[in-house]
């Protein structure tokens, strides 16, 4: 298939690089320093998949107008704050892409794509795969789960075009599934990343990593307190947790286990995370939002935490921990540069 990835930074480069390595034709649209470095030396990917350089099947451009031909799938992967600019710049692609999706975090991104590309081109997509841009031309793949990506038709169901995308992702080494209700995956993913990011920003602050916070029991307590506020809203929406991204999100257990047992489970996850970081040489161990705080860049606070607060207000659910964490994140964010 032919893929074009608009906003090839940390995650976009890991996904694009792995697809290209598997023989898919991939065009990355990214910033000049990163694109120049890849053109000169290839794309270096380190971390959980090993240490290798991808050169074949990879085209790098700095504006969508420089991309030639038609594409099967456009994947939007800028940060949310850059979506509008990226879509405006991609106007010339509208008639040249067969399908469009976003692997960004958040709710509402698909509707934005439908407004841009037309209702029928847009497919639903979600991932927990992790990527960090370490330096121009070099990304670290930091996180995956047995099923790391889901695709589905936005109005429900699985079609041959969804199965074709799933097959390409599988072939690239990403455990991927087609699902009949992608909207549930999107809400559960937001619960997972909202818990992980909100907890990181409020509990870990600037210098710490995920396992640092889970090795201290009080840190794991905070995680479960926050997860349970998210769960109250998710269940009020009529959903039951499915653990789409286990073991990173084990919301069934966070919900059903006695409180102390759920805390123990998080502490175990922290130990496993530490072992994995040591084995792969990964040093970051942070969510994308926490990474932004660490680098003193604007965070996706309102994309990642606010949809659940809005739903809680709509459904009359009290979420004091989530409200507190949102307040902490907003204060931190206010001090960060655009
Ligand atoms: N990284 C992860 O582990 C992960 C996992 C799951 C989901 N996500 C989601 O994926 C999205 C991307 O995250 P990320 O961590 O990959 O962000 P990132 O590293 O900042 O990558 C986005 C890249 O797009 C570039 N960009 C922005 N506007 C552009 C434009 N108009 N044309 C070309 N390039 C443009 C950015 O450049 P500048 O930095 O110069 O603006 C940056 O290099 C977010 O919504 C995030 O929540 C991330």
């Amino acid at each position: 298939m032919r893929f074009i990835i608009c906003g090839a930074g940390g995650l976009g480069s890991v996904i694009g690089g792995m697809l290209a390595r598997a023989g898919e034709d991939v065009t990355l649209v990214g910033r000049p320093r990163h694109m120049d470095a890849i053109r000169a030396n290839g794309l270096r990917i380190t971390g959980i998949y090993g240490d290798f350089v991808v050169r074949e099947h990879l085209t790098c451009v700095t504006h969508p107008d420089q991309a030639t031909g038609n594409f099967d799938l456009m994947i939007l992967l800028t940060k949310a704050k850059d979506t509008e600019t990226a879509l405006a710049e991609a106007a010339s692609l509208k008639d040249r892409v067969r399908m469009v999706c976003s692997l960004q975090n958040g709710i509402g991104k698909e509707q934005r794509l439908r407004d841009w590309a037309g209702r029928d081109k847009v497919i639903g997509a979600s991932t927990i795969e992790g990527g960090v841009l370490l330096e121009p031309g070099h990304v670290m793949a930091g996180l995956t789960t047995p099923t790391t990506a889901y695709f589905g038709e936005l109005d429900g169901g699985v079609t041959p075009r969804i199965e074709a995308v799933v097959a390409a992702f599988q072939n690239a080494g990403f455990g991927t599934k087609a699902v009949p209700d992608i909207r549930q995956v999107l809400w559960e993913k937001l619960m997972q990343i909202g818990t992980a990011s909100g907890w990181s920003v409020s509990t870990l602050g600037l210098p710490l990593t995920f396992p640092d916070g889970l090795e201290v029991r009080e840190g794991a307590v905070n995680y479960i307190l926050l997860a349970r506020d998210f769960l109250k809203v998710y269940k009020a929406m009529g959903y039951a947790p499915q653990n789409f991204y286990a073991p990173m999100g084990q919301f069934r257990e966070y919900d059903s286990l006695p409180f102390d047992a759920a805390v123990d489970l998080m502490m175990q996850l922290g130990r496993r995370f530490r072992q994995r970081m040591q084995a792969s040489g990964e040093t970051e161990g942070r969510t994308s939002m926490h990474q932004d705080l660490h680098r003193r860049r604007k965070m996706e606070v309102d994309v990642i935490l606010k949809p659940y607060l809005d739903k809680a207000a709509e459904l009359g659910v009290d979420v004091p921990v989530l409200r507190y964490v949102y307040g902490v994140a907003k204060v931190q964010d206010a001090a960060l540069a655009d």
Side-chain angles (χ1 to χ4, degrees):
M1 294 178 80
R2 287 203 86 207
F3 292 86
I4 182 160
I5 300 185
C6 294
L11 184 58
S13 302
V14 167
I15 288 181
M18 294 286 285
L19 285 165
R21 188 189 190 210
E24 307 292 346
D25 183 289
V26 177
T27 297
L28 301 180
V29 186
R31 297 300 192 200
R33 284 179 66 216
H34 185 39
M35 297 297 102
D36 287 348
I38 300 174
R39 278 193 213 105
N41 304 311
L43 171 64
R44 182 171 175 214
I45 300 182
T46 51
I48 53 175
Y49 300 113
D51 185 345
F52 52 89
V53 174
V54 183
R55 290 193 178 82
E56 304 291 310
H57 312 295
L58 205 51
T59 304
C60 292
V61 298
T62 54
H63 192 288
D65 288 354
Q66 297 158 1
T68 55
N70 296 327
F71 296 91
D72 295 295
L73 180 62
M74 168 178 147
I75 304 176
L76 181 63
L77 261 170
T78 61
K79 285 275 164 60
K81 68 179 174 53
D82 296 317
T83 292
E84 292 309 319
T85 310
L87 290 182
E89 288 174 2
S92 72
L93 284 177
K94 270 188 216 178
D95 296 330
R96 295 193 282 134
V97 294
R98 195 159 63 84
M99 290 175 276
V100 182
C101 75
S102 157
L103 285 170
Q104 296 160 305
N105 281 311
I107 294 290
K109 59 199 174 87
E110 282 76 21
Q111 187 53 50
R112 180 65 195 95
L113 286 179
R114 278 183 154 176
D115 294 343
W116 180 77
R119 190 178 175 84
D120 294 344
K121 285 194 177 182
V122 184
I123 63 171
S126 167
T127 189
I128 198 171
E129 195 67 20
V132 180
L133 181 55
L134 293 180
E135 59 190 335
H138 180 190
V139 285
M140 176 185 283
L143 178 69
T144 194
T145 50
T147 305
T148 191
Y150 292 86
F151 292 92
E153 292 293 348
L154 282 173
D155 297 327
V158 172
T159 53
R161 68 178 185 170
I162 296 290
E163 280 162 354
V165 175
V166 167
F169 269 65
Q170 283 279 21
N171 192 40
F174 300 121
T176 307
K177 281 189 183 150
V179 277
D181 186 356
I182 189 70
R183 289 188 189 275
Q184 180 175 6
V185 180
L186 289 166
W187 276 105
E188 191 161 320
K189 172 67 204 315
L190 195 58
M191 175 161 70
Q192 183 278 324
I193 195 65
T195 305
S197 302
W199 174 79
S200 298
V201 168
S202 58
T203 303
L204 302 180
L206 267 177
L208 303 181
T209 64
F210 211 76
D212 292 327
L214 292 176
E215 274 163 7
V216 179
R217 190 163 188 88
E218 287 75 7
V221 165
N222 280 6
Y223 201 98
I224 297 302
L225 287 172
L226 181 57
R228 287 194 169 181
D229 260 12
F230 273 99
L231 273 160
K232 280 192 248 172
V233 184
Y234 188 68
K235 292 198 295 181
M237 290 168 70
Y239 291 133
Q242 300 298 313
N243 286 4
F244 291 112
Y245 290 113
M248 289 311 296
Q250 299 182 64
F251 284 86
R252 270 190 203 147
E253 288 75 11
Y254 307 157
D255 189 37
S256 62
L257 286 174
F259 189 84
D260 284 346
V263 171
D264 289 341
L265 184 72
M266 277 322 293
M267 293 186 79
Q268 278 165 28
L269 183 67
R271 287 192 285 275
R272 291 225 299 275
F273 208 102
R274 170 84 69 208
Q275 285 162 2
R276 216 205 47 229
M277 279 176 67
Q278 282 166 348
S280 68
E282 195 218 330
T283 51
E284 300 292 331
R286 297 185 179 90
T287 61
S288 174
M289 188 160 122
H290 194 206
Q291 195 75 33
D292 285 336
L293 177 64
H294 194 62
R295 293 182 172 182
R296 293 186 158 75
R297 297 177 64 164
K298 278 281 179 217
M299 299 184 284
E300 292 179 306
V301 181
D302 284 329
V303 172
I304 289 180
L305 298 176
K306 196 158 180 300
Y308 267 87
L309 277 174
D310 292 345
K311 269 283 168 205
E314 185 188 319
L315 299 170
V317 179
D318 191 24
V319 284
V321 182
L322 174 54
R323 264 193 284 120
Y324 179 85
V325 164
Y326 179 70
V328 173
K330 286 294 276 188
V331 171
Q332 305 285 305
D333 197 55
L336 301 172
D338 272 324

